[in-house]
């Protein structure tokens, strides 16, 4: 998923991006259609981004013309796929994360596909979806801090989840809702991982009592309510990603105005999948294969502010200092997450917004 990715990218998303094809039709899967389409429709979340030259490379290599259609947050994308199961919105979907992957798989809205381009560093993540989905990138969802605000107030930044519920940090935190946001769902999962299935609701009650603000999505939380974001809001703590501080680096590249609290993170993986009933299955598979190519993987940090799933791809040098992954992110067993996600969201809604 960031803002960086969410911001700049969204411009391209509400629209469709179509680049001229090179002429080959591409019926790689042996589809029965007698008139295979040159166009492949890609359903994405609002934060999708890929450099134009990389998109052009996809067309050059495969002959397919991509048409990108944004459908909101990752959770909204999955919901749309389920609601339109009998009339698929497109050929391939990108942006389903590990908190929503089981919903897509269980609902039968994706066709299993294992790409020959899948790197060894991605096999475990693919296996967790029974190879129904292809992992493309990963990142840590963490609380971010506006460092200048804390310096001005001479208040130490919080470092743990428990710190966020302390009186010293009352009315300082804004997060997106887990009911409508994939980062929000990741943070809910982090609290389940930290506090256990019997303790997470009590933790959220403490956050609520401590002045927690909940927004519908990441955009509102980071770009409107966060004091270190584009909107210069009043909340100096926000849920975002560990890579977000790389977007707030000074012009000389030596400092960042924000930082991620690496003791509050949940590891997120984003997947692509062939939409069941797709008109252009061959094009969908070709796009997934391309997402795992070196050029597409290398484009991810700069465009999506996520880590490429291929661990052999070189990262931007500034990421070592400003965008590290958490050394010990919170985790939840995927099966437990799949089994309880809807219940947890209902209980969270009753606890925090009821």
């Amino acid at each position: 998923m960031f803002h960086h990715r969410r911001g700049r990218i969204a411009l391209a998303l509400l629209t469709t991006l179509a680049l001229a094809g090179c002429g080959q039709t591409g019926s790689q899967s042996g589809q029965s259609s007698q008139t295979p389409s040159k166009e492949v429709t890609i359903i994405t979340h609002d934060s999708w981004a890929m450099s134009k030259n990389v998109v052009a490379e996809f067309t050059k290599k495969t002959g397919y013309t991509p048409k990108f259609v944004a459908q909101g947050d990752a959770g909204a994308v999955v919901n749309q796929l389920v609601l339109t199961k009998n009339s698929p919105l497109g050929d391939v979907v990108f942006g389903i994360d590990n908190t929503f992957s089981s919903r897509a798989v269980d609902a039968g809205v994706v066709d299993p596909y294992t790409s020959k381009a899948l790197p060894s560093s991605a096999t475990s993540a693919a296996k967790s979806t029974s190879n129904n989905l292809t992992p493309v990138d990963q990142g840590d969802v963490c609380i971010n801090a506006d460092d200048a605000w804390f310096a001005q107030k001479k208040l130490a930044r919080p470092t743990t989840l428990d710190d966020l519920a302390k009186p010293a940090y009352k009315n300082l935190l804004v997060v997106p809702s887990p009911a409508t946001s994939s980062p929000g769902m990741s943070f809910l999962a982090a609290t389940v991982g930290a506090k256990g299935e019997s303790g997470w609701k009590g933790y959220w009650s403490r956050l609520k009592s401590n002045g927690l603000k909940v927004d519908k999505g990441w955009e509102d939380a980071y770009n409107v309510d966060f004091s270190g974001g584009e909107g210069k809001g009043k909340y100096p703590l926000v849920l975002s990603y560990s890579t977000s501080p790389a977007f707030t680096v000074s012009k000389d590249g030596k400092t960042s105005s924000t930082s991620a609290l690496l003791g509050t993170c949940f590891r997120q993986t984003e997947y692509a999948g062939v939409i069941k009933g797709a008109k252009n299955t061959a094009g969908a598979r070709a796009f997934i294969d391309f997402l795992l190519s070196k050029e597409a993987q290398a484009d991810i940090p700069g465009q999506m502010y996520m880590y490429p799933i291929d661990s052999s791809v070189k990262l931007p040098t500034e990421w070592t200092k400003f965008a590290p992954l958490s050394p010990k992110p919170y985790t939840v067993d995927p099966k437990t997450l799949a089994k309880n996600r809807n219940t947890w969201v209902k209980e969270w809604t009753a606890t925090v917004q009821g």
Side-chain angles (χ1 to χ4, degrees):
M1 290 181 244
F2 316 92
H3 51 148
H4 346 333
R5 79 178 188 161
R6 316 246 177 214
R8 50 174 116 142
I9 300 170
L11 296 175
L13 294 190
L14 297 175
T15 60
T16 58
L17 174 61
L19 298 181
C22 293
Q24 92 185 59
T25 54
S27 55
Q28 299 175 4
S29 69
Q31 275 186 296
S32 59
S33 172
Q34 295 180 348
T35 56
S37 174
K38 291 183 179 180
E39 184 176 272
V40 55
T41 300
I42 301 150
I43 305 301
T44 72
H45 54 43
D46 284 347
S47 301
W48 159 261
M50 178 178 278
S51 298
K52 288 184 178 180
N53 64 309
V54 179
V55 176
E57 185 66 18
F58 168 68
T59 298
K60 181 180 178 181
K61 281 189 170 183
T62 67
Y64 290 112
T65 301
K67 176 184 176 183
F68 296 101
V69 180
Q71 291 288 333
D73 194 275
V77 169
V78 175
N79 288 337
Q80 285 297 312
L81 292 179
V82 173
L83 291 172
T84 59
K85 183 177 180 180
N86 296 322
S87 183
L89 296 172
D91 302 306
V92 58
V93 56
F94 170 82
I96 298 174
D97 77 356
N98 50 324
T99 66
F100 283 94
S101 58
S102 63
R103 173 162 165 74
V105 173
D106 293 346
V109 298
V110 291
D111 273 335
Y113 176 61
T114 302
S115 172
K116 293 181 179 178
L118 192 71
S120 58
S121 56
T123 54
S124 177
K127 189 176 180 181
S128 70
T129 72
S130 300
N131 294 307
N132 281 277
L133 294 167
T134 300
V136 175
D137 59 41
Q138 64 179 353
D140 282 345
V141 176
C142 315
I143 300 299
N144 275 221
D146 176 354
D147 293 338
W149 187 95
F150 281 95
Q152 184 180 21
K153 300 293 183 182
K154 297 182 179 179
L155 177 65
R157 292 176 307 166
T159 59
T160 68
L161 291 175
D162 285 330
D163 285 347
L164 300 174
K166 293 179 178 178
Y169 305 104
K170 188 176 182 65
N171 299 326
L172 301 186
L173 174 63
V174 58
V175 302
S177 167
T180 53
S181 160
S182 60
M185 184 64 221
S186 292
F187 187 54
L188 172 56
T191 62
V192 173
K195 304 299 180 183
E197 294 187 54
S198 63
W200 68 266
K201 283 186 287 186
Y203 175 72
W204 279 94
S205 293
R206 291 164 56 201
L207 287 182
K208 180 181 179 181
S209 298
N210 210 36
L212 172 73
K213 185 178 192 297
V214 178
D215 283 338
K216 182 177 180 180
W218 179 93
E219 292 278 1
D220 285 340
Y222 196 97
N223 288 332
V224 178
D225 283 327
F226 180 43
S227 59
E230 296 175 4
K232 301 300 179 185
K234 66 178 184 180
Y235 292 83
L237 296 171
V238 66
L239 181 67
S240 193
Y241 289 80
S242 74
T243 51
S244 295
F247 190 74
T248 56
V249 172
S250 60
K251 291 183 178 179
D252 63 8
K254 294 182 178 179
T255 62
S256 175
S257 61
T258 65
S259 59
L261 311 182
L262 297 183
T264 65
C265 306
F266 180 82
R267 182 68 45 84
Q268 182 185 56
T269 301
E270 291 191 311
Y271 294 89
V274 178
I275 298 176
K276 193 176 186 62
K279 293 180 180 178
N280 189 352
T281 302
R285 292 179 174 181
F287 186 71
I288 290 175
D289 293 346
F290 182 75
L291 285 175
L292 297 175
S293 67
K294 294 295 184 183
E295 56 264 56
Q297 287 283 294
D299 194 48
I300 286 173
Q303 292 296 312
M304 303 284 284
Y305 274 69
M306 293 287 274
Y307 278 72
I309 201 68
D310 185 345
S311 60
S312 69
V313 173
K314 186 177 180 181
L315 296 169
T317 54
E318 65 270 22
W319 277 36
T320 301
K321 182 176 181 180
F322 298 114
L325 291 170
S326 171
K328 193 176 181 180
Y330 291 109
T331 60
V332 176
D333 177 75
K335 292 182 179 178
T336 301
L337 184 55
K339 178 182 177 182
N340 296 293
R341 184 188 57 247
N342 292 342
T343 299
W344 290 344
V345 171
K346 289 179 181 178
E347 292 177 344
W348 176 90
T349 301
T351 301
V352 179
Q353 298 186 314

